[in-house]
Amino acid sequence: MQRKVQVCETLPGLWTALAAVWRECAQTAVHTRGYFTAALSGGRTPAAFYRVLAQEQGLPWHLTHLFLADERLVPPDSPESNARLIRSTLLDGLAQPPAGIHFVKTGFLEAAAAAKAYEQELLQAMGSLSAADPRLDLVLLGIGEDGHTASLFPGTDALAEQGRPVAGVPAAPGRRARVTLTLPFINAARRVIFLVAGSGKRAILATVLAGGRELPASRVATPGVTVEFFVDREAFPGS
Ligand code: 6PG
């Protein structure tokens, strides 16, 4: 597994660079398979990127299916909702809606039940596109300061899940119950991109890039796939 880092001097430069890669991924997928599937993360970092992406012209949204890398079990209108973030920063800005928007149903009391429901939706959607190949074209991830990615937190059963594509993450002190794509499903994707910005992420990014395998973000690794890091100068350890 290779890691490739693209350092951008400014945040606008970072969004532009990532939008170009999104376009490349989407066009390649549509040309090859007739559709494009991507899983998006929440959090603060990608919000500005989603706003830029919404303004990009000529993207094949009518052939694009969006999924969530993870979601918190909160109401859809909660400020903590990743679906709300993506709706307000990306979807509301699009001239035409994507072919598929697959958000997590969060009205469940238990994370395991929500995960099972999302897994069924994910596999049904991917199966309807290609019965033979349920791999995402792109997964866009962030990194938390503890090295988590999606909702794969250190020491959790979800991180250890090796069979199913989706796992539930029970609530913990200071952390909502969540649903997350699992490592095997993320690692099966054709392209995995981390978006990391800000000086607060410099230390954890250095550890992840050094390959500290005990961290969830370090375990995003696919044989034969180069995991890409799009970072600003602030977050880059070599700055
Ligand atoms: C979430 C994200 C999570 C995020 C990291 C980084 O639901 O919060 O999926 O994995 O990517 O926590 O978040 P920031 O971009 O806000 O630093």
Side-chain angles (χ1 to χ4, degrees), residues 40-47 50 68-72 80-82 85 140-146 148-153 178-180 194-197 201:
L40 302 179
S41 284
R44 293 178 304 279
T45 306
Y50 294 149
L68 287 178
D70 66 332
E71 181 59 286
R72 302 86 179 269
E80 294 181 72
S81 164
N82 287 346
L85 172 85
L140 181 64
L141 296 171
I143 301 179
E145 294 186 14
D146 62 352
H148 81 262
T149 190
S151 285
L152 299 170
F153 293 90
R178 294 160 172 245
V179 166
T180 186
F194 282 97
L195 174 59
V196 189
K201 297 289 178 72

Side-chain angles (χ1 to χ4, degrees), residues 36 94 107 117 123 135 140 148-149 153 164 169 174 176 181 192 204 220 224:
F36 172 50
L94 296 181
L123 294 179
R135 296 189 303 158
L140 181 64
H148 81 262
T149 190
F153 293 90
R164 311 191 72 98
V169 184
R176 295 278 193 182
L181 296 185
V192 179
I204 196 65
V220 174

